[in-house]
Amino acid sequence: MAAPVYDRARANAHPAFGLHFRRYAPFSTFGFGFEGDNRGSSTSLKATSRTYGCVMFNKVEVFYWFGGTSGTHRSTLLFGEIIGHSKVRMSVTTIPSTRAGQVIFKASTAGNMPLLPKTPDIDTSVYLAIELGSQTMHVEGSVFGDTFPNLEVFLHSYRSEHAALLLDGRTTGGKNLGPISRLPGAGASIFLGQFDRNFSLNEKGELAQNYTTFATTLPTL
């Protein structure tokens, strides 16, 4: 399904949320000289990542989505700093629900190393079911994909600016050999983690506070 055009009226009709899922390199460098994200898990919308995807929704529908990358940097003696941007592909499939206030979808991203032609993609697929009540939100989902690099999945409440971390996945692949050994193949059947959480909403239907969750280690291949 092609991404829809952003519609501000639809976005403002109900409290809007974003499901963000990002793959980031926690190292200062990785892959023999490429600049990493040099960070731990984060729900900041400004944090860099190798690939990212966001699905925006409210209690009625999924109304917008987008994916991309923060760019790949490498410093060389001959050419100085080189910057490349992967063409991250994103797909979203919505699943009809007969329950009022429930939104169900699958979202996937895939993008490779732009400075190394024909390298395998970083593949990530998130399956999510959200049920929005008057004072609570129930979120249930699972994630599949490659076991490198790190993974973070979180919800962002756009009106309250609060966030809820759903999954904190930490690769056991090394910073240099991880990209070589962990990325070949689509990773569609590799289970990375799941979550089943309830969150409080305020009287306006927004996330009432920030939430954190436990750390999950990605499986070793």
Side-chain angles (χ1 to χ4, degrees), residues 7-16 58-61 159:
D7 187 327
R8 188 174 296 276
R10 290 170 67 188
N12 293 335
H14 306 280
N58 53 37
K59 66 180 181 179
V60 177
E61 62 181 345
R159 292 185 183 177

Side-chain angles (χ1 to χ4, degrees), residues 112-126:
N112 66 0
M113 292 281 288
L115 301 181
L116 289 177
K118 299 183 180 180
T119 54
D121 288 330
I122 301 172
D123 296 291
T124 314
S125 293
V126 182

Side-chain angles (χ1 to χ4, degrees), residues 67 86-91 108-112 121 123:
S86 173
K87 295 182 179 179
V88 177
R89 304 179 303 282
M90 183 172 184
S91 64
S108 300
T109 56
N112 66 0
D121 288 330
D123 296 291

Side-chain angles (χ1 to χ4, degrees), residues 58-73:
N58 53 37
K59 66 180 181 179
V60 177
E61 62 181 345
V62 169
F63 60 85
Y64 189 62
W65 61 84
F66 58 90
T69 177
S70 301
T72 298
H73 299 245

